């Protein structure tokens, strides 16, 4: 027995000696970079413990205790009581102490006495084990970043009758053209949501593979739900039973140059009988009189991945032959020849169109980072009856002219594009759309003045004419692909004196939330222009200030102590990587000499999924992504030598026509976990009447998130990157299913507490929707095709799932 114990302590000793020397070596290097001094002495102490174990010395126990105490003091001094930050800083040293406590009866001094008697060894070991178990148990508990104030009570109701007259349907991508994603239904509420069950499941037959993703939010009109698949097929489903009524396949062509990007986020709906008899336009091209449309009185409007508008009869699924050319409008007209999918460029549409007051409003998606000379980002309005183009807005002409181009002319190249979904205020007659920036995203040297004027902006235009009313930039000379992609949210914000201001809420990838007067574009909640770094490479354009809103989520710049990891060792690695980067804060320019930290990352903040607004309380509820990234310019010859594969969104992009390619990636540790503190995605409730955050909780567990291709299977709620958007109801609930694990969740609007979760067959990326069925039941629906862009067919799906109370 004594011999086996001796062998064990020697093995532990060698192991700790190696780990300690590695920690000390890394710590010495970190010090040379100007980083923390803790890791060097901690590593030396761990190595000394290894020697003590090998030699079975009693002082090993006391040194391990001192190491643990010092690590606790250091950890609390650096990060306070932040649980997830404390874990990698202390657990390794707690394990060393536990081993020393367990072995203390055989760790002896010169007189042969043990470090601890057996009984004391058992007690101390038990304390260490309980501490480890407590830490492990706390890993499965949600740790809010902002706790709801219980003493404040529920959110104040500012409009008891909000949306009470909005009907039983969901007729636009954001439920209405205001983009609010709010439903007044209360049948499912905080008291009974725990009883929610699957009512029906439908499968489309189009599996989300080969670059396809289900990011769609269905519509519901009358007794029918309408949705689209990643290949632009349109399907009508009985909203009560889940049975298919019809489907239409436009035979969308997938171009070789764009074969990995197949999305359809939603369709639009138009009821011609609800339009004025003549559907007038105030100037511009006269729209077709509604009375001339004998068929297709109710229309489903889709924009396809091969750049067409399709109009279908909502009842039958047949083409509306009087629309465009036999039911189709070609969006590549007046676009460059290679817009149809040439070797260097493509143009398509992935987001839901805005369909309102007789107008179909569309933008388009362009390839990022391949080359200069990409198609332009024109935004166009079409007559919903005839398909005739009414107007065209592009950044080069801006407010000066919105007339469509004659045949044979081409819209300007490289202008910032609009690839999300617009919002519309029927009282003002204004449509609002967000823009991206001129491609390539990371090299700004070729930017046109008009591109800089309209990059990452919100633009307000007259829906009937396309005439610009105002625009507001959320960034100046965007260097980081901070496209503004989420649908604007329109709301009448109450003031202290009882007056209401019509505002537009624009979420951005930067995590900034801009609240503007939608009549003028002027900020309602303060915006400050702050100085940012300007030390750019020769030829780059740069802005010396950037706008920052008084409301934001996840925007605090990262510092060295924010570096994280699954253990003390990869945390040290991450700190070294951080110190080797350029880390000057937001908008620190890229160089070719070293990596630059990009935070917030260019996937978000807030991506295309947008947010939701509780209209009854004025509470904005948003999910975000918190992923730090890095970027570095690289010569294309060097990229070829290293065998880097060029893609638009991967780790290397050529940026042809500019002096440099760009290499970029996620800021990750060798273990495959982020190098920065959790959460990596959260749900946040913000009271717009005060600007205060009511609560903020991490969303999603690591259960189904692959790390080096393996899903951990543990429901640890770190908070994972989120896609899609939330749904808010007057039942006091927020529904969400865009996390990396396979669940749909319901949160309490007042506290952020998770009240219910439903297991999904695969993850999801869209936003839930809800409606009242003809049977009097409230249904909540999600579409689940897979949580991430990568993976095997095992985590891909084609599910439409409706939930209701039993």
């Amino acid at each position: 027995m004594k011999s086996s114990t001796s062998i064990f302590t020697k093995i532990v000793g060698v192991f700790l000696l190696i780990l300690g020397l590695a920690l000390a070596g890394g710590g010495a290097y970190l010090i040379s970079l100007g980083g923390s001094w803790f890791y060097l002495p901690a590593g030396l102490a761990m190595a000394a413990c290894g020697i003590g174990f090998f030699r079975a010395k009693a002082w090993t126990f006391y040194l391990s205790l001192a190491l643990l105490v010092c690590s606790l003091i250091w950890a609390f001094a650096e990060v306070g009581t932040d649980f997830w930050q404390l874990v990698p800083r202390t657990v390794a040293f707690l394990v060393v102490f536990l081993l020393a406590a367990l072995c203390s009866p055989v760790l002896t001094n010169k007189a042969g006495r043990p470090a601890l008697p057996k009984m004391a060894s058992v007690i101390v070991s038990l304390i260490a084990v309980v501490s480890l178990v407590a830490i492990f148990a706390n890993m499965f508990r949600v740790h809010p970043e902002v706790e709801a104030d219980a003493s404040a009570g529920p959110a104040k109701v500012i409009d008891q009758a909000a949306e009470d007259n909005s009907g039983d349907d969901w007729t636009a991508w954001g439920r209405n053209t205001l983009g609010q994603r709010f439903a007044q239904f209360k049948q499912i509420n905080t008291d009974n949501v725990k009883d929610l069950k699957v009512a029906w499941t439908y499968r489309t037959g189009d599996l989300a593979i080969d670059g396809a993703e289900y990011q769609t939010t269905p519509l519901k009109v009358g007794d029918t739900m309408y949705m689209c698949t990643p290949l632009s097929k349109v399907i009508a489903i009985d909203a009560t039973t889940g049975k298919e009524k019809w489907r239409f396949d436009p035979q969308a062509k997938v171009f070789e140059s764009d074969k990995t990007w197949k999305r359809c986020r939603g369709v639009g709906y138009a009821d011609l009988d609800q339009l004025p008899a003549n559907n007038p336009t105030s100037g511009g091209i006269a729209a077709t009189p509604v009375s001339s449309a004998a068929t297709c009185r109710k229309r489903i409007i889709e924009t396809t991945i091969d750049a067409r508008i399709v109009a279908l009869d909502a009842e039958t699924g047949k083409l509306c032959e009087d629309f465009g050319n036999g039911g189709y409008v070609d969006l590549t007209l007046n676009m460059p020849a290679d817009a149809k999918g040439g070797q260097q460029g493509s143009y398509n549409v992935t987001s839901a169109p805005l369909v309102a007051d007789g107008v179909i409003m569309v933008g388009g998606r362009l390839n990022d980072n391949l080359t200069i000379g990409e198609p332009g980002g024109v935004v166009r309005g079409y007559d919903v009856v005839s398909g005739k183009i009414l107007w065209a807005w592009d950044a080069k002409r801006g407010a000066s002219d919105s007339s469509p181009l004659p045949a044979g002319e081409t819209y300007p190249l490289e202008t910032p594009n609009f690839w999300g979904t617009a919002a519309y205020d029927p009282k003002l007659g204004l449509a609002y759309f967000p823009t991206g920036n001129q491609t390539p995203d990371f090299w700004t040297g070729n930017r046109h003045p008009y591109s800089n004027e309209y990059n990452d902006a919100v633009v307000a235009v007259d829906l009937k004419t396309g005439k610009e009313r105002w625009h507001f930039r959320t960034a100046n000379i965007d260097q980081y692909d901070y496209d503004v992609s989420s649908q604007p949210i329109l709301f009448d914000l109450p003031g202290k004196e009882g007056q209401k201001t019509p505002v537009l809420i624009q979420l951005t990838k930067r995590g900034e939330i801009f609240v503007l007067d939608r009549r003028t574009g002027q900020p309602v909640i303060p915006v400050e222009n702050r100085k940012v770094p300007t030390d750019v490479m020769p030829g780059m354009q740069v802005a010396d200030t950037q706008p920052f809103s008084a409301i934001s989520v996840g925007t605090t710049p990262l510092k060295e102590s924010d570096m994280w990891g699954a253990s003390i060792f990869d945390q040290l690695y991450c700190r070294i990587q951080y110190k080797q980067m350029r880390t000057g804060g937001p908008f620190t320019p890229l160089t070719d000499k070293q990596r630059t930290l990009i935070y917030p990352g260019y996937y978000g903040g807030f991506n295309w999924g947008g947010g939701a607004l509780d209209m009854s309380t004025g509470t904005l509820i948003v999910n975000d992504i918190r992923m730090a990234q890095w970027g570095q310019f690289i010569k294309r010859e060097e990229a070829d030598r290293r065998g880097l594969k060029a893609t638009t969104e991967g780790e290397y992009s050529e940026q042809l026509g500019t002096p440099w390619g760009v290499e970029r990636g996620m800021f990750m540790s060798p273990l495959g976990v982020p190098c920065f503190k959790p959460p990596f995605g959260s749900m946040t409730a913000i009271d717009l009447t005060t600007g205060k955050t009511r609560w903020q909780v991490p969303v999603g567990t690591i259960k189904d998130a692959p790390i080096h291709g393996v899903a951990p299977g543990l429901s640890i709620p770190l908070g994972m990157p989120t896609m899609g958007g939330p749904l808010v109801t007057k039942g006091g609930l927020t529904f969400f299913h865009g996390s990396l694990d396979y669940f749909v969740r319901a949160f309490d609007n007042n506290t952020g507490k998770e009240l219910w979760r439903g297991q999904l067959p695969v993850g999801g990326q869209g936003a839930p929707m809800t409606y009242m069925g003809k049977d009097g039941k409230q249904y909540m629906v999600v579409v689940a095709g897979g949580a991430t862009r990568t993976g095997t067919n095992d985590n891909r799906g084609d599910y439409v799932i409706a939930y209701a109370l039993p």
Side-chain angles (χ1 to χ4, degrees):
M1 184 71 177
K2 185 175 181 181
S3 175
S4 62
T5 302
S6 176
I7 293 173
F8 176 75
T9 58
K10 288 184 183 298
I11 292 173
V12 170
V14 171
F15 188 63
L16 289 181
L17 176 62
I18 294 171
L19 291 181
L21 291 177
L23 192 65
Y29 185 49
L30 180 61
I31 291 172
S32 74
L33 297 173
S36 170
W37 280 70
F38 173 78
Y39 298 87
L40 173 59
L44 292 175
M46 182 180 285
C49 285
I51 294 173
F53 267 104
F54 192 86
R55 298 175 60 190
K57 295 297 183 180
W59 53 259
T60 307
F61 170 78
Y62 302 104
L63 180 58
S64 69
L65 175 60
L67 178 57
L68 175 60
V69 170
C70 289
S71 72
L72 289 170
I73 294 172
W74 165 71
F76 280 104
E78 267 209 324
V79 299
T81 58
D82 186 324
F83 174 78
W84 285 115
Q85 289 248 61
L86 291 172
V87 168
R89 286 171 165 82
T90 57
V91 166
F93 305 117
L94 180 56
V95 170
V96 172
F97 174 70
L98 172 60
L99 291 171
L102 289 170
C103 295
S104 58
V106 298
L107 301 176
T108 58
N109 59 19
K110 290 181 179 180
R113 288 194 293 270
L116 289 177
K118 286 187 178 181
M119 183 56 66
S121 170
V122 169
I123 294 173
V124 173
S125 299
L126 186 59
I127 293 172
V129 169
V130 169
S131 299
L132 282 171
V133 169
I135 292 171
F136 185 70
N138 265 285
M139 291 181 180
F140 294 87
R141 187 173 68 85
V142 172
H143 296 273
E145 285 202 289
V146 179
E147 291 264 14
D149 184 356
S151 64
K156 180 182 178 181
V157 175
I158 60 175
D159 186 357
Q160 188 71 48
E163 296 297 291
D164 280 353
N165 297 320
S166 61
D168 293 341
D169 295 342
W170 187 287
T171 58
W173 189 66
R175 191 178 187 230
N176 50 35
T177 64
L178 306 179
Q180 295 159 346
R181 294 193 174 276
F182 173 76
Q184 79 279 13
F185 314 133
K186 295 186 286 187
Q187 186 180 100
I188 303 170
N189 55 56
T190 54
D191 292 329
N192 61 24
V193 68
K194 65 182 184 301
D195 300 321
L196 212 56
K197 305 292 183 185
V198 174
W200 53 259
T201 299
Y202 169 83
R203 301 196 67 173
T204 70
D206 273 3
L207 201 65
I209 58 175
D210 297 330
E213 298 290 355
Y214 277 92
Q215 298 177 338
T216 186
T217 299
L219 305 187
K220 184 264 185 181
V221 183
D223 297 334
T224 308
M225 179 188 300
Y226 303 95
M227 65 167 292
C228 54
T229 75
L231 293 175
S232 297
K233 297 174 185 176
V234 183
I235 303 174
I237 304 167
D238 187 293
T240 305
T241 66
K243 303 297 184 183
E244 181 178 313
K245 289 187 172 183
W246 56 257
R247 69 168 53 205
F248 176 83
D249 185 356
Q251 301 293 319
K253 181 179 180 182
V254 179
F255 298 109
E256 182 64 24
S257 64
D258 207 28
K259 62 184 179 181
T260 61
W261 198 268
K262 308 180 196 68
R263 310 281 191 278
C264 181
R265 298 192 177 103
V267 297
Y269 171 75
D271 184 348
L272 303 193
D273 293 325
Q274 299 299 315
L275 298 177
N278 293 320
N279 189 25
T281 59
S282 53
I285 297 176
T288 303
V290 172
S291 58
S292 69
T295 60
C296 286
R297 305 300 296 177
K298 294 179 172 60
R299 300 185 172 197
I300 297 299
I301 306 297
E302 183 193 39
T303 46
T304 68
I305 57 174
D306 58 355
R308 292 176 291 166
I309 303 176
V310 182
L312 303 172
D313 188 303
E315 298 294 331
T316 66
K318 294 183 179 180
L319 285 167
C320 299
E321 299 287 347
D322 56 350
F323 179 87
N325 183 11
Y328 296 97
V329 167
D330 184 359
L331 291 173
T332 64
L333 294 177
N334 298 107
M335 300 295 281
D338 63 359
K340 289 181 179 289
Q343 184 62 33
Q344 294 300 331
S346 65
Y347 176 89
N348 61 24
V349 188
T350 56
S351 295
L354 171 70
V355 181
D357 280 359
V359 177
I360 303 167
M361 181 175 168
V362 297
R365 173 190 169 267
L366 310 173
N367 270 336
D368 290 338
N369 296 308
L370 286 181
T371 178
I372 62 172
E374 290 286 323
V378 63
V379 182
R380 287 170 282 185
Y382 293 85
D383 176 32
V384 76
V385 179
S386 68
K388 181 166 51 178
I389 187 169
L390 302 173
W391 52 264
W393 180 96
D394 66 78
K396 185 173 183 179
R397 296 184 298 171
S400 65
D401 185 8
S402 60
S403 59
L405 293 184
E409 293 190 21
T410 301
Y411 291 108
L413 301 179
E414 304 175 342
T415 52
N417 66 315
F418 150 56
W419 58 270
T421 297
Y424 174 58
D425 181 343
K427 293 181 180 179
L428 296 176
L430 295 180
Y432 307 90
F433 62 90
T435 66
N437 61 9
Q438 178 183 325
T439 189
D441 285 304
F442 295 89
W443 177 261
T444 64
N446 63 312
R447 299 281 171 83
H448 306 297
Y450 50 81
S451 293
N452 291 337
E453 181 62 30
Y454 286 98
N455 80 173
D456 300 355
V458 187
V459 184
V461 299
D462 186 291
L463 180 65
K464 299 289 188 177
T465 67
K467 184 69 175 177
E468 181 185 324
R469 183 72 61 85
W470 57 259
H471 69 276
F472 174 89
R473 280 197 313 275
T474 70
N476 301 322
I477 310 185
D478 176 11
Q479 308 168 42
Y480 289 140
D481 190 16
Y482 280 148
D483 295 355
V484 182
S485 55
S486 63
Q487 183 181 29
I489 301 172
L490 310 186
F491 175 55
D492 291 339
L493 181 65
K496 294 181 179 179
E497 307 301 324
Q499 79 282 12
K500 290 187 176 182
T501 303
V503 300
L504 176 149
I505 304 154
Q506 186 60 66
L507 311 179
T508 68
K509 286 186 182 180
R510 294 175 53 209
E512 302 291 332
I513 302 174
F514 294 94
V515 181
L516 312 174
D517 187 318
R518 63 179 184 265
R519 299 166 297 188
T520 64
Q522 294 300 307
V524 173
I525 289 178
V527 173
E528 176 187 3
N529 286 292
R530 300 177 192 165
K531 291 282 188 180
V532 293
T534 58
D535 52 335
V536 296
M537 294 180 61
M540 282 273 282
Q541 299 180 48
V542 65
D544 59 355
T545 65
Q546 294 290 347
F548 292 83
S549 174
I551 300 179
S552 63
V553 174
T555 59
T556 303
L558 295 176
K559 53 188 182 296
E560 184 196 334
S561 60
D562 292 325
M563 296 304 101
W564 196 68
S567 70
I568 192 72
F569 302 98
D570 56 328
Q571 184 197 58
L572 171 60
Y573 169 89
C574 292
R575 291 182 90 135
I576 291 172
Q577 293 298 308
Y578 175 86
K579 296 300 290 187
Q580 290 177 328
M581 290 183 181
R582 281 165 57 87
T583 55
F587 286 93
T588 300
L590 302 190
T591 75
D592 63 326
K593 304 301 182 186
Q594 64 187 119
R595 293 178 174 181
T596 297
L597 181 69
I598 304 174
Y599 187 80
Y602 45 81
Y603 291 142
F606 309 112
N607 211 300
W608 57 265
L613 184 65
D614 187 333
M615 298 291 291
S616 62
T617 64
T619 303
L620 176 67
I621 297 184
V622 292
N623 60 285
D624 73 312
I625 301 170
R626 298 194 204 171
M627 291 298 291
Q629 293 163 285
W630 59 267
Q632 183 175 0
F633 288 128
I634 183 173
K635 283 294 186 183
R636 282 178 281 275
E637 299 79 11
E638 173 63 14
D640 291 341
R641 185 189 68 79
R642 291 170 50 189
L644 298 181
K645 184 179 180 181
T647 61
T648 61
E649 294 204 348
E651 295 183 348
Y652 167 60
S653 295
E654 291 180 293
Q655 300 192 130
L656 295 176
T658 76
W660 299 91
V662 64
E663 187 180 10
R664 61 197 194 277
M666 299 291 189
F667 187 18
M668 307 287 279
S669 82
L671 296 182
V673 299
C675 265
F676 41 91
K677 63 180 181 179
F680 312 123
S682 71
M683 191 72 73
T684 303
I686 300 168
D687 186 341
L688 289 177
T689 64
T690 64
K692 303 294 185 182
T693 297
R694 291 184 54 83
W695 49 261
Q696 187 173 91
V697 296
V699 175
T701 70
I702 68 171
K703 181 176 185 291
D704 303 301
I707 300 175
H708 293 305
V710 179
L714 297 174
S715 294
I716 296 176
L718 271 180
M720 304 301 286
T722 64
M723 292 294 286
L727 156 69
V728 175
T729 74
K730 201 181 281 188
L733 298 169
T734 293
F735 291 97
F736 184 74
H737 77 297
S739 57
L740 291 187
D741 53 6
Y742 301 170
F743 294 104
V744 54
R745 293 175 166 87
F747 299 91
D748 187 312
N749 289 349
N750 284 315
T751 66
K753 181 181 178 181
E754 182 182 309
L755 301 180
W756 169 84
R757 70 169 64 177
Q759 177 72 58
L760 297 173
V762 296
Q765 296 186 37
M769 52 87 73
T770 188
Y771 57 86
M772 295 299 295
K774 64 182 179 182
D775 57 357
K777 283 189 175 184
Q778 180 186 350
Y779 291 86
M780 185 274 295
V781 175
V782 300
V783 178
T788 59
R789 293 182 182 178
T790 59
T792 67
N793 291 350
D794 293 336
N795 62 13
R796 306 279 85 187
D798 60 346
Y799 299 89
V800 184
I801 305 173
Y803 296 84
L805 296 172

